[in-house]
Amino acid sequence: MAQGYFYCGKKEDTATFNYFFRTNPFKGGFTVFAGLQDLLKMISEFTFNKSDIQYLEKQGFRKEFLEYLAGFRLSGDILSAREGEIMFPNEPVLQVEGNVIECQLIESVLLNILNFESLIATKAFRIKLVANGKIFSDFGLRRAQGLGSLHASRAAFIGGASSTSNVMAGKIFGIPVSGTQAHSWIQSFDSELEAFRAYAQAHPDNSILLVDTYDTLRSGLPNAITVAHELEQKGKRLLAIRLDSGDLAYLSKKARKMLDDAGLQHVKIVASNQLNEHVIKSLLKDQNAAIDAFGVGTELITGKNDAALDGVYKLSGINEQPKMKFSENIEKVTLPCKKQVYRCYDNHGMFYRDAILLANENPEKAETICDAFHPERKTIISELKKEPLLHTVIKNGEIISETYSLEDIHKYLLTRASLLPDEHKRFISPHIYKVGISEKLLETRNALVKSLE
Amino acid sequence: MAQGYFYCGKKEDTATFNYFFRTNPFKGGFTVFAGLQDLLKMISEFTFNKSDIQYLEKQGFRKEFLEYLAGFRLSGDILSAREGEIMFPNEPVLQVEGNVIECQLIESVLLNILNFESLIATKAFRIKLVANGKIFSDFGLRRAQGLGSLHASRAAFIGGASSTSNVMAGKIFGIPVSGTQAHSWIQSFDSELEAFRAYAQAHPDNSILLVDTYDTLRSGLPNAITVAHELEQKGKRLLAIRLDSGDLAYLSKKARKMLDDAGLQHVKIVASNQLNEHVIKSLLKDQNAAIDAFGVGTELITGKNDAALDGVYKLSGINEQPKMKFSENIEKVTLPCKKQVYRCYDNHGMFYRDAILLANENPEKAETICDAFHPERKTIISELKKEPLLHTVIKNGEIISETYSLEDIHKYLLTRASLLPDEHKRFISPHIYKVGISEKLLETRNALVKSLE
């Protein structure tokens, strides 16, 4: 397509593209936007080197176009919601404005990064919502989707994971790393007790003993208690035991009692084994499991069951002309023009509606918004406090946005999520957060529809 | 754990680890093993550079151990099934034998690579099984799990995808690349007809026109037919049209009729939009859709709905002592010792049973095998043709296996799959392929269980 634009007289055209998604992942009521800083970094490094050009030449691309690619860099603007923002279906999360070829060339990688990190950050935050103040760690590397594991660990931390078992991700992104022993450690010694002792000696300050290799309650716990007492005699404390199979609710309560009876109230209980937000919620809220921390692997790091966020990147204007896509599926019809999204607050200062306006519209003059597909459903927004969500992050190809630490992004998420009413956060049939479009945007879209009929 | 082994007097211990999975993905009857060559490459490049060591030092790792890591390279052996082999739950797919620290250090990345590529190759092959000779292309980059997209495209090709839209994967792995126009191309012109003309001019030999931007049958098809006729006048042919929304069965049949009526029997019909093996099967087998090729995105590239293969890496011996893991969950009990897997053939030369024997057992002397968890269920294998599946691929740290092209791996898969009876290939309640263990392995396990009681 890029070569097509280059040769058909459109290489100087300017375009506007919007990134948005159509449904919240996990049948939930919100999406955590993540991946922005990785995207900006990727765009700043997006070039075609000699070997790329040679490869493309072999694929049949033409000389002048390849010369253009060899000098490629993005020269346009990008507006975006802040990383860690709570976003909703069908509203622009990010807007790219610039040369049509440039806009087109970054499409796939933009979608790849933002869809994936938003998926995982949302999953992690759903776990955080039910973890009841307990910490959880990303244990997912061994089941992650290849190298996707790296950015998944980053997104999981933004969403609320306290650490990762992926040491490479820890190194690259500065995420705290944490590990624990595997069954192979226990098995490699002649006895479980000997294995626990050796581990406690190697890690006297932060041992977590895995107690289910042979028999959790009859072997693992008694041996862990023995080692905990031995540590105490050296002035050290066993950090925790870990349960990795069986009924975690039952075993954790039994284990807590055994530890307490042995005077080991300070020894924590960590649980792992195919956990997700639903299992953790059930363990903590329905069954009062005595679990202090969770290791969450596969489902967190792959965003199961969805495995993908359905974000798309759609043309909404070319050379200042509004553009939209029709479709057999009504929900796939897009919104034309450069736009801005305003978050409208209710009287209690909570998120109430999002309003999509034309970029050049004065939000103070927008009296009502309506549903994009059912325009008879209106909301009056004139009296509401409004806050623009899209900010310029790249101007003329240069990154102008501040760089935030992952901790800052996570804290921003927490602040924003605290303003989202609880009914949007529940897992089953969450209340749908309303996103409307302004009268002017509706008129522009209707006129465009008419002109195309 | 590695540091633990280093300081507790076990740094010279030798270990045997097995990689295996517990269930076939997608509730299917088989798994395509993929990722081996990527694993071998990773292992040959597995070192700790200065910055890695500095990072680990900051994490609190100790000096002597870090000096050991700085000189790390795998010195042991790896036996593996061939990449592209059809494998089944609970049998060793790969066996690592060597120093316990080395074996442990490669665990996470080994699991990451093999679990993911096997998942995607299996998904792709399931699509191939129902595609009825039609080709399908990997369109998944924009919804893939970050950088996981690269190896996913490789695995998809092994499983049967004919090409990828991921140009980077094409460059790295030599996979044929293919693209098509997006809706944005159509929208960026004043009319659909103009957009089609410009594209056909830019790609006179291989244009695929996307016909659903405005109205598939009333606008897209008539315009595509016009452009196809214009191409004919220049001695060129339109390659295909693409349907990307609506009812693909209905639209494809209507489109086929319109194209045929216009004398364009040679113009193919490509379909995309949330496809998977079940949708493609329904389109082709139940509805006789007039579709010649498919673009498959999200579900292929993320291995939806599973998103992960449950492969594990378990210790089965240390210093020649057999080792196994017990569990509250009976299906999590593992098999001790170094092993070999023999594929047993029936009288028609088809796959019949897999037999897990001790590595040093003579397969010609193994008379019966039994189910690992129900030893009363026996099969006589003495008369059957047997073939060992695990071959040495790394000897003393050096790769000694042949390097195969992706085409060769795919062809090997086709040959092997042709020997797997159809009842294991169906999607709904596939017949379970039986994997048994030898009497000697059973005895060894029973003795070990007894010694631990």
Side-chain angles (χ1 to χ4, degrees), chain B residues 300-319:
Chain B
L300 168 60
I301 218 68
T302 64
K304 219 177 158 186
N305 291 323
D306 282 9
L309 178 69
D310 69 357
V312 293
Y313 182 78
K314 292 292 177 190
L315 184 76
S316 68
I318 198 132
N319 299 332

Side-chain angles (χ1 to χ4, degrees), chain A residues 52-81:
Chain A
D52 296 332
I53 298 292
Q54 283 166 354
Y55 173 74
L56 293 171
E57 199 176 357
K58 276 187 212 148
Q59 302 304 310
F61 286 91
R62 286 144 75 180
K63 193 161 173 289
E64 278 174 316
F65 175 65
L66 292 173
E67 280 165 10
Y68 162 82
L69 286 187
F72 176 84
R73 64 177 281 285
L74 190 87
S75 62
D77 300 345
I78 296 182
L79 286 84
S80 176

Side-chain angles (χ1 to χ4, degrees), chain A residues 310 332, chain B residues 143 244 272-276 279 295-299:
Chain A
D310 70 356
K332 283 194 164 187
Chain B
R143 302 272 171 85
D244 187 45
S272 53
N273 193 22
Q274 301 184 15
L275 298 178
N276 60 32
V279 175
V296 189
T298 312
E299 297 218 12

Side-chain angles (χ1 to χ4, degrees), chain B residues 168-225:
Chain B
M168 177 85 86
K171 183 186 170 201
I172 294 174
F173 298 113
I175 306 166
V177 294
S178 67
T180 169
Q181 61 192 169
H183 295 109
S184 56
W185 175 272
I186 315 294
Q187 292 170 268
S188 71
F189 288 80
D190 287 334
S191 76
E192 191 180 49
L193 184 58
E194 199 186 322
F196 284 176
R197 272 189 186 129
Y199 200 79
Q201 194 168 0
H203 308 85
D205 297 308
N206 55 2
S207 274
I208 300 175
L209 301 177
L210 178 61
V211 293
D212 74 331
T213 306
Y214 302 112
D215 187 311
T216 301
L217 298 179
R218 284 188 292 177
S219 167
L221 255 297
N223 286 331
I225 287 168

